């Protein structure tokens, strides 16, 4: 691993979005559309992502898709604003790591760094700050992390086993992979051609000290189930208000 992080202050202007997969846990929403086209608070997930990326200077986005690709293609071709979009369709499921490597082949500048997003996350945080942190740490890849919010209620108990109260869905003092990355171009050949980067590439980078983290302080929400769609919609409406 000889590649080093970019040192210039030039903003990152390209990104990948992984929009493949059948998303069975999101049914019935995904019976007729891919996960990235599921509407949250009246808008498809991918529209939120494209606007967020564009607002931070991203000029080209490569979207890797497979399941119901024609629905996504029709929607993206109808867009008149935002970044240039390159749509790549997987002939077979490649896994998340394989899809990242495949999508990287559509980047306008393969020798420049790029953001990468899972197609089921909604988030707003300053990507320029992520970029500065990434370059200061000198990693080959930086993972955005979100503090874990449990879906269960927590029971507060004292030393005498008396219940003192209840806390619904609190944030816990642990961090999870938020599905947003900043990659140096040197990571692309290290991604699997098929399979999951989280069980192959990332552990290898971590062992070599080339994987760094950025803790999100703004809004983040993964949309993985029908319940998430409803809850995320409520949260976004509250943010709008």
């Amino acid at each position: 691993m000889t590649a080093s992080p970019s040192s210039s202050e030039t903003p990152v202007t390209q990104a990948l979005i992984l929009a493949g997969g059948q998303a069975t846990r999101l049914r019935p929403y995904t019976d007729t559309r891919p996960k990235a086209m599921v509407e949250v608070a009246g808008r498809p997930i991918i529209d939120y992502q494209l606007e967020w990326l564009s607002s931070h200077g991203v000029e080209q986005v490569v979207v890797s898709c497979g399941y119901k690709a024609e629905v996504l293609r029709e929607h993206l071709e109808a867009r008149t604003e935002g970044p240039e979009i390159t749509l790549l369709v997987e002939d077979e499921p490649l896994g998340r790591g394989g899809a990242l490597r495949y999508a990287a082949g559509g980047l306008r500048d393969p020798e420049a760094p790029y953001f990468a997003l899972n197609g089921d996350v909604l988030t707003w945080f300053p990507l320029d700050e992520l970029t500065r942190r990434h370059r200061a740490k000198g990693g080959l890849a930086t993972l955005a992390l979100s503090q874990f919010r449990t879906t269960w209620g927590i029971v507060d108990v004292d030393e005498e086993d008396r219940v003192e109260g209840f806390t619904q869905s609190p944030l816990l003092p642990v961090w999870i992979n938020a599905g947003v990355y900043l990659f140096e171009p040197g990571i692309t050949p290290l991604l699997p051609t098929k399979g999951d980067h989280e069980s192959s590439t990332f552990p290898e980078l971590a062992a070599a000290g080339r994987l760094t983290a950025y803790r999100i302080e703004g809004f983040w929400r993964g949309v993985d189930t029908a319940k998430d769609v409803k809850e995320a919609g409520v949260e976004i409406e509250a943010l709008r208000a």
Side-chain angles (χ1 to χ4, degrees), residues 5 11-12 22 54 57 73 87 91 94 118 151 162-163 175-176 180 187 213 234-235:
V12 178
Q22 296 190 21
S54 180
R73 183 187 301 278
L87 188 68
D91 293 329
L94 299 175
N118 289 344
T151 58
R162 287 187 292 263
V163 175
W175 296 82
I176 61 174
V180 179
I187 197 176
V234 171
E235 292 176 11

Side-chain angles (χ1 to χ4, degrees), residues 49-60:
Q49 294 182 326
L50 291 171
E51 289 186 7
W52 176 54
L53 291 169
S54 180
S55 71
H56 286 86
V58 172
E59 299 171 355
Q60 185 212 10

Side-chain angles (χ1 to χ4, degrees), residues 28-76:
Y29 294 104
T30 52
D31 285 343
T32 58
R33 69 195 68 189
K35 181 187 290 189
M37 284 296 297
V38 170
E39 293 190 358
V40 176
R43 304 187 65 205
I45 295 172
I46 196 166
D47 280 1
Y48 291 107
Q49 294 182 326
L50 291 171
E51 289 186 7
W52 176 54
L53 291 169
S54 180
S55 71
H56 286 86
V58 172
E59 299 171 355
Q60 185 212 10
V61 177
V62 180
V63 180
S64 175
C65 62
Y67 175 71
K68 301 291 183 183
E70 66 282 358
V71 177
L72 188 57
R73 183 187 301 278
E74 181 179 356
H75 176 75
L76 294 177

Side-chain angles (χ1 to χ4, degrees), residues 38 47 60 65 79 84 96 117-118 148 155 185 210 215:
V38 170
D47 280 1
Q60 185 212 10
C65 62
R79 289 180 58 90
E84 172 191 336
R96 290 183 297 173
L117 282 69
N118 289 344
F148 177 66
V155 181
R210 305 300 304 277
R215 301 173 195 247

Side-chain angles (χ1 to χ4, degrees), residues 123-124 218-220 232-241:
T123 186
W124 294 279
F219 173 79
W220 180 89
V234 171
E235 292 176 11
I236 288 175
E237 292 290 4
L239 288 172
R240 287 173 175 170

